[in-house]
Amino acid sequence: MDTKQDISKRAYDQLHTDAEKIRQLIQVQMDNLTMPQCPLYEEVLDTQMFGLSREVEFAIKLDLVDEQEGRQLLDNLEQELSKLHDAHTKTSLK
Amino acid sequence: MDTKQDISKRAYDQLHTDAEKIRQLIQVQMDNLTMPQCPLYEEVLDTQMFGLSREVEFAIKLDLVDEQEGRQLLDNLEQELSKLHDAHTKTSLK
């Protein structure tokens, strides 16, 4: 029988997995599909971040994930994607 | 201490609450803001359904919500919104 702690751990793991998927998707998109200046990039990013923020809020409401840690996960991902984006833009401009 | 059953019940309740919020949002939007033919309507609807489907998938992966019941919740909401939309379109055309 799962305890609350087990479920909470799975919630954190799942959120990190989903954040990592977004990171990979954005990386692939920048490497192959479109320029980061393309509106499609922004749209995919916004949609994916929205989806993840819904998961985080849901986990917080179920008291499985700490509110601050959940927001931190989203902030960290946004910062990493922003760095990826900047690095790619600089390379493209060379 | 919450049992898995408690958390699972909260997960179902939260998903139903969030589905109800989407229903109300769409109702308000149809009553006040835009015509249902407007692309904005489709966009809001798609975004909201995407957010809810992410929550449902998350709850299923955590084994809190039954896969079939989760999909049923999304299907039911889509059908209800579609009926709302049809009813509103017919009224507007009168």
Side-chain angles (χ1 to χ4, degrees):
Chain A
M1 181 68 186
D2 289 324
T3 64
K4 184 178 176 183
Q5 219 172 359
D6 295 330
I7 300 171
S8 174
K9 177 164 183 326
R10 283 213 305 275
Y12 278 108
D13 289 348
Q14 188 60 51
L15 290 177
H16 282 286
T17 301
D18 290 344
E20 180 54 30
K21 270 191 211 157
I22 295 178
R23 206 176 290 122
Q24 284 173 8
L25 174 73
I26 295 297
Q27 180 71 61
V28 166
Q29 202 189 22
M30 288 202 295
D31 289 348
N32 297 298
L33 295 173
T34 53
M35 299 296 291
Q37 296 90 333
C38 176
L40 182 61
Y41 167 83
E42 292 293 333
E43 204 174 303
V44 170
L45 185 54
D46 285 354
T47 306
Q48 293 298 322
M49 289 304 293
F50 172 76
L52 187 62
S53 72
R54 278 298 168 94
E55 289 178 29
V56 169
E57 279 165 38
F58 183 72
I60 291 171
K61 280 180 194 154
L62 295 190
D63 197 23
L64 293 174
V65 162
D66 173 72
E67 185 165 352
Q68 212 168 350
E69 282 190 63
R71 305 219 180 285
Q72 197 62 50
L73 182 139
L74 291 171
D75 287 347
N76 289 348
L77 179 59
E78 266 189 29
Q79 281 171 23
E80 282 176 55
L81 294 180
S82 171
K83 274 186 213 162
L84 261 180
H85 182 264
D86 288 351
H88 193 271
T89 311
K90 276 179 199 152
T91 315
S92 312
L93 291 175
K94 265 182 195 161
Chain B
M1 183 67 187
D2 289 325
T3 64
K4 184 178 177 184
Q5 219 172 0
D6 297 330
I7 301 172
S8 173
K9 176 163 185 328
R10 284 213 305 275
Y12 278 108
D13 289 348
Q14 189 61 51
L15 290 176
H16 282 286
T17 302
D18 291 343
E20 180 54 30
K21 272 190 211 156
I22 295 178
R23 206 176 289 121
Q24 284 173 8
L25 173 74
I26 295 297
Q27 180 70 62
V28 167
Q29 203 190 21
M30 288 201 297
D31 288 348
N32 298 297
L33 296 172
T34 53
M35 299 296 292
Q37 297 87 335
C38 176
L40 183 62
Y41 168 83
E42 291 293 333
E43 204 174 302
V44 170
L45 186 54
D46 285 354
T47 306
Q48 294 297 324
M49 289 304 293
F50 172 75
L52 187 63
S53 72
R54 277 299 167 92
E55 289 178 31
V56 169
E57 280 164 38
F58 183 72
I60 292 170
K61 280 181 194 153
L62 295 190
D63 197 24
L64 294 175
V65 161
D66 174 72
E67 185 164 351
Q68 212 167 350
E69 283 190 62
R71 305 218 179 286
Q72 196 62 52
L73 181 140
L74 292 171
D75 287 348
N76 289 349
L77 179 59
E78 266 188 28
Q79 280 170 25
E80 283 176 54
L81 294 180
S82 170
K83 274 186 213 161
L84 261 182
H85 182 263
D86 288 351
H88 193 272
T89 312
K90 275 179 199 152
T91 315
S92 313
L93 292 175
K94 264 183 197 162

